[in-house]
Amino acid sequence: MLNDLKKDADDRMKKALQAMGNSMNKIRTGRAHPSLLEGLTVSYYGSETPLSQVANITVEDARTLSVKPWEKQMVPEIEKAIMKSDLGLNPSTAGENIRIPLPMLTEETRKGYIKQARAEAENGRVAIRNVRRDVLSDVKALLKEKEITEDEDRRMQDDVQKITDKYVAEVDKALAQKEEELMTV
């Protein structure tokens, strides 16, 4: 039973780390990457559909993304979605191909993105700590019902703390890597 709780804690912390990683990927680093447009949705026959399901997104060069819709009538919809997004990108269309040049990052925008990355990392840490709190409350309930001993309770608290520390270190490592990417000119 305790091993199941530990495995559950590990799985949930891993998912929290992955969610934080996905959020970090959406922060622009000055280089073109298809994941920048991952969260965008376009109106496709009346329903909101992810951009990646209606178009092919490729990297043309280090600072330009190319979006090629599968249907020609989707070009204006995709342009509108990119302009409405909070990414600050201005697409230019040539026929069916939409090119998205990424502007150079200024020192001010870099600092803003670093602040955003730190906020995402903190959200990841909070999510991991919430998992720890949930698991430890389950362990306390088992102790209260006398299903486990106090020694098992203490051992479990130590094990869960070690798992938590491991994932918090992963978050810190990801943040340091993202900050380094952002500060590279």
Side-chain angles (χ1 to χ4, degrees), residues 123-146:
N123 290 341
R125 286 188 204 101
V126 167
I128 288 169
R129 290 185 198 120
N130 287 341
V131 171
R132 176 186 63 189
R133 184 197 62 218
D134 293 345
V135 170
L136 291 180
S137 70
D138 291 346
V139 171
K140 286 288 182 206
L142 290 173
L143 180 65
K144 194 173 185 179
E145 294 169 10
K146 304 225 185 282

Side-chain angles (χ1 to χ4, degrees), residues 22-35:
N22 290 339
S23 298
M24 287 271 202
N25 284 342
K26 291 178 184 160
I27 299 174
R28 199 157 69 92
T29 58
R31 286 190 304 270
H33 197 273
S35 68

Side-chain angles (χ1 to χ4, degrees), residues 70-127:
W70 294 321
E71 297 178 23
K72 189 172 184 167
Q73 73 264 21
M74 289 304 298
V75 172
E77 291 291 332
I78 292 172
E79 278 185 317
K80 198 184 313 174
I82 293 170
M83 283 187 210
K84 273 202 275 184
S85 72
D86 60 350
L87 297 172
L89 302 174
N90 291 317
S92 63
T93 306
E96 290 183 31
N97 201 16
I98 301 169
R99 297 180 74 227
I100 306 165
L102 299 177
M104 285 291 288
L105 294 178
T106 63
E107 189 68 27
E108 189 177 311
T109 56
R110 286 178 196 276
K111 287 180 180 176
Y113 286 140
I114 286 175
K115 201 178 282 187
Q116 186 181 350
R118 287 180 178 157
E120 292 295 343
E122 186 56 34
N123 290 341
R125 286 188 204 101
V126 167

